[in-house]
Amino acid sequence: MALRTLSTFPSLPRRHITTRREPNLTVIYRNPTTSIVCKSIANSEPPVSLSERDGFAAAAPTPGERFLENQRAHEAQKVVKKEIKKEKKKKKEEIIARKVVDTSVSCCYGCGAPLQTSDVDSPGFVDLVTYELKKKHHQLRTMICGRCQLLSHGHMITAVGGNGGYPGGKQFVSADELREKLSHLRHEKALIVKLVDIVDFNGSFLARVRDLVGANPIILVITKIDLLPKGTDMNCIGDWVVEVTMRKKLNVLSVHLTSSKSLDGVSGVASEIQKEKKGRDVYILGAANVGKSAFINALLKTMAERDPVAAAAQKYKPIQSAVPGTTLGPIQINAFLGGEKLYDTPGVHLHHRQAAVVHSDDLPALAPQNRLRGQSFDISTLPTQSSSSPKGESLNGYTFFWGGLVRIDILKALPETCFTFYGPKALEIHAVPTKTATAFYEKELGVLLTPPSGKNQMQEWKGLQSHRLLQIEINDAKRPASDVAISGLGWISIEPIRKTRGTEPRDLNEAEHEIHICVSVPKPVEVFLRPTLPIGTSGTEWYQYRELTDKEEEVRPKWYF
């Protein structure tokens, strides 16, 4: 075979060189001072570049190198994802912070409405000269608006309309807008203090409160216990409230029976808040006119004895008013030494309460001012002089009117059955035969049957359009059968056989184990059938405590007074 070409390589540095073995290439190792001779054969592979022949080309990655490279890429991807997640969380927190309190806008410390100087009749209005002076001295947070000044002097000025708002007065904020201001609570870590009115327990409970607060823990505060009849045993009331609350399946830490007027039970709530807040802000939540502002004032007064921050916060307190919807925005209060904030929130307006259907002028008539005293009616108290009165020893065929807001037709009752009404004294109760009830209502509406009262209210009144038939089962003749609660008004306790001194209730026959009544109310108002609230001295006698299992004892919230 003929020799075609000869190649001479220059001298290389003194080191070991590893080259790749090619099928038609002969590599000769020699001393650095000598030349390397390569012989190329005909029909061989194309010439190899200098770098490849010298061993400087990149070798194929080994499995270990590929594994390390994949690991580095995976770690880099995790870092990028973490940064993106952190950025999203930051943006979300900024949005929530803007929703909670807009520090760029100064608000009235009485109602939380943004301060403005343009519309005299709107919430938040202040005089321009006063506004500029306060702004110059950085004192805008000490201003109260004109509406709050009128409310503090007893004027009934409504500012909320629609879906639980009111048909009378000027309406500048919708009930839905106020609910939207509470929507951020489900996204942040907070301690919720939820208020419920004992006089309107079912109507003010906020059954769907979980939609507002998410998984945040709740301290349940029962207000206005000073309105319960004399002789009421708070042990029975506390157990009754816990029993009803357990059926709601809420994350309730504890239950407190309180009175903002007498300060009963408020110190226990203050201690529980200090124990459970754990660096979180505290929000006072409840239905409109449940007494949030009054409770906050009582809480600050109680805390001021030991906390100088709470004492200073008393100077600028939320306004108290009988008008549901006094608070129109979240009011931030610096009440804790640790730096956490206390918030008075706008009341949740509920369309199913009586306050949503009456005129603003009639709102004070729905609010009890003193202890409740039940008005009882049985066959011995009803008028029988009229020829149209039902014959026989029974309530069957009679109708009760509770003001102009509620009508109760007795369809089936026992001869000894007694109906006791608990509610505001301003609403009188009238009993008439059912045959003449409709004519009596049309004639006396706005006269004997008030509210509604006044010509304007009468023109807007739509009547008792909602009717509910109730069949109340009697399990024990020695105990009240049930309560019929009217949302936003009060309740009616039904005793199958009224107990008199020195006598025991008789045994019932098979046909006497049910009471039938028909309750008529304005269309949006709801009627609740519930276990009887054990009030008065008689409540202590018949109330029975349920035996609890060990598991129930562990999960059952404790109550305090």
Side-chain angles (χ1 to χ4, degrees):
M1 185 178 294
L3 183 62
R4 296 181 59 185
T5 61
L6 286 175
S7 299
T8 303
F9 286 71
S11 297
L12 298 174
R14 185 181 293 274
R15 65 176 179 176
H16 179 70
I17 301 175
T18 303
T19 60
R20 211 165 32 175
R21 185 177 296 277
E22 299 292 338
N24 296 322
L25 182 64
T26 301
V27 180
I28 302 174
Y29 294 92
R30 52 162 291 170
N31 291 330
T33 55
T34 60
S35 301
I36 300 173
V37 179
C38 296
K39 176 179 163 182
S40 180
I41 309 299
N43 301 324
S44 63
E45 294 293 330
V48 182
S49 66
L50 179 62
S51 60
E52 289 180 346
R53 286 180 299 188
D54 288 347
F56 291 108
T62 62
E65 291 173 337
R66 284 196 298 269
F67 173 79
L68 290 175
E69 187 65 27
N70 290 336
Q71 288 297 313
R72 292 192 196 99
H74 182 66
E75 291 297 327
Q77 192 177 20
K78 284 173 63 177
V79 171
V80 172
K81 285 184 177 180
K82 190 175 181 180
E83 290 296 327
I84 293 174
K85 190 175 181 181
K86 202 188 270 186
E87 190 67 26
K88 286 183 178 179
K89 185 179 179 180
K90 186 178 179 181
K91 288 182 179 178
K92 188 176 181 180
E93 289 175 350
E94 289 175 355
I95 293 172
I96 291 174
R98 286 197 299 271
K99 272 190 173 183
V100 177
V101 177
D102 187 357
T103 55
S104 63
V105 179
S106 298
C107 299
C108 168
Y109 72 79
C111 66
L115 296 177
Q116 51 91 13
T117 59
S118 57
D119 192 345
V120 178
D121 295 324
S122 295
F125 174 80
V126 292
D127 180 68
L128 179 60
V129 176
T130 306
Y131 179 86
E132 292 295 340
L133 182 63
K134 291 287 187 180
K135 184 178 179 181
K136 180 179 179 181
H137 294 283
H138 307 285
Q139 295 178 343
L140 288 178
R141 294 187 180 277
T142 66
M143 293 195 70
I144 191 170
C145 71
R147 173 177 174 267
C148 286
Q149 290 177 1
L150 293 175
L151 289 173
S152 63
H153 287 83
H155 294 270
M156 308 300 290
I157 306 173
T158 58
V160 182
N163 194 21
Y166 314 103
K170 299 226 173 194
Q171 300 161 0
F172 300 96
V173 183
S174 72
D176 293 332
E177 288 174 349
L178 291 185
R179 287 192 190 94
E180 183 63 26
K181 292 182 179 182
L182 301 174
S183 62
H184 69 278
L185 286 178
R186 59 164 50 238
H187 301 298
E188 65 175 288
K189 293 182 179 179
L191 177 62
I192 308 299
V193 178
K194 177 186 171 184
L195 270 58
V196 179
D197 184 352
I198 190 63
V199 178
D200 185 26
F201 185 87
N202 297 82
S204 64
F205 193 86
L206 298 182
R208 300 181 64 182
V209 68
R210 181 61 62 210
D211 296 340
L212 291 173
V213 304
N216 287 313
I218 298 172
I219 297 175
L220 184 63
V221 175
I222 309 300
T223 62
K224 305 180 184 179
I225 61 166
D226 56 296
L227 297 179
L228 294 178
K230 288 183 178 180
T232 300
D233 188 346
M234 291 304 160
N235 290 307
C236 299
I237 298 296
D239 188 77
W240 184 91
V241 169
V242 172
E243 280 291 309
V244 176
T245 303
M246 286 292 290
R247 300 173 189 173
K248 307 288 185 180
K249 298 181 179 180
L250 299 175
N251 182 19
V252 175
L253 300 176
S254 58
V255 176
H256 299 261
L257 309 180
T258 68
S259 167
S260 300
K261 186 176 181 180
S262 64
L263 300 184
D264 290 336
V266 178
S267 60
V269 181
S271 299
E272 187 76 1
I273 289 175
Q274 294 289 358
K275 174 185 172 184
E276 298 292 343
K277 61 186 176 68
K278 299 174 182 177
R280 297 173 292 194
D281 290 335
V282 181
Y283 288 81
I284 309 299
L285 188 69
N289 211 32
V290 79
K292 294 186 300 301
S293 297
F295 172 77
I296 288 177
N297 293 341
L299 184 65
L300 292 176
K301 185 176 181 179
T302 302
M303 293 171 56
E305 298 175 1
R306 298 183 179 181
D307 191 339
V309 177
Q314 288 190 95
K315 189 173 182 180
Y316 304 105
K317 299 180 293 187
I319 288 293
Q320 294 177 227
S321 169
V323 177
T326 299
T327 304
L328 300 177
I331 301 175
Q332 177 182 301
I333 303 170
N334 300 322
F336 305 112
L337 278 172
E340 302 91 348
K341 308 299 181 185
L342 178 69
Y343 287 95
D344 183 9
T345 62
V348 179
H349 290 260
L350 304 171
H351 69 282
H352 60 72
R353 303 179 77 194
Q354 289 281 6
V357 299
V358 301
H359 194 275
S360 59
D361 293 342
D362 288 328
L363 288 175
L366 302 182
Q369 301 298 327
N370 302 308
R371 284 189 181 274
L372 300 178
R373 296 183 64 183
Q375 301 183 57
S376 298
F377 295 87
D378 56 23
I379 190 61
S380 64
T381 62
L382 299 184
T384 57
Q385 298 86 356
S386 173
S387 59
S388 61
S389 300
K391 296 180 180 180
E393 297 291 325
S394 175
L395 284 173
N396 296 344
Y398 275 97
T399 294
F400 294 104
F401 286 104
W402 201 354
L405 302 179
V406 183
R407 170 177 172 168
I408 302 171
D409 298 320
I410 313 301
L411 307 179
K412 178 184 177 182
L414 305 182
E416 306 93 338
T417 298
C418 178
F419 291 78
T420 304
F421 293 74
Y422 295 94
K425 292 181 180 179
L427 269 74
E428 296 183 1
I429 302 167
H430 298 271
V432 297
T434 303
K435 293 180 180 179
T436 62
T438 302
F440 177 81
Y441 185 79
E442 292 175 352
K443 178 182 177 181
E444 300 297 341
L445 184 64
V447 184
L448 288 178
L449 304 179
T450 57
S453 56
K455 293 182 179 179
N456 294 334
Q457 291 88 314
M458 293 294 297
Q459 292 174 356
E460 298 173 357
W461 187 246
K462 297 181 180 179
L464 308 178
Q465 300 174 324
S466 179
H467 312 282
R468 184 173 177 186
L469 180 64
L470 301 178
Q471 298 180 2
I472 301 168
E473 186 176 352
I474 303 172
N475 296 318
D476 186 354
K478 298 180 181 180
R479 303 172 66 244
S482 183
D483 279 351
V484 177
I486 311 299
S487 181
L489 185 60
W491 74 95
I492 307 150
S493 178
I494 302 176
E495 294 179 77
I497 300 178
R498 191 172 195 185
K499 185 178 179 180
T500 58
R501 291 183 180 179
T503 62
E504 287 293 328
R506 63 179 176 82
D507 294 331
L508 302 178
N509 57 47
E510 293 183 0
E512 295 180 324
H513 281 275
E514 280 190 348
I515 295 175
H516 297 178
I517 63 175
C518 180
V519 182
S520 301
V521 290
K523 194 167 187 178
V525 175
E526 287 191 11
V527 178
F528 302 93
L529 199 61
R530 72 184 190 192
T532 305
L533 185 67
I535 55 176
T537 54
S538 61
T540 307
E541 297 173 2
W542 59 256
Y543 187 74
Q544 295 178 347
Y545 293 90
R546 185 173 62 88
E547 293 186 4
L548 304 174
T549 63
D550 293 339
K551 186 176 181 180
E552 286 177 326
E553 284 282 6
E554 292 179 3
V555 299
R556 200 173 191 255
K558 305 297 182 183
W559 69 268
Y560 303 91
F561 172 63

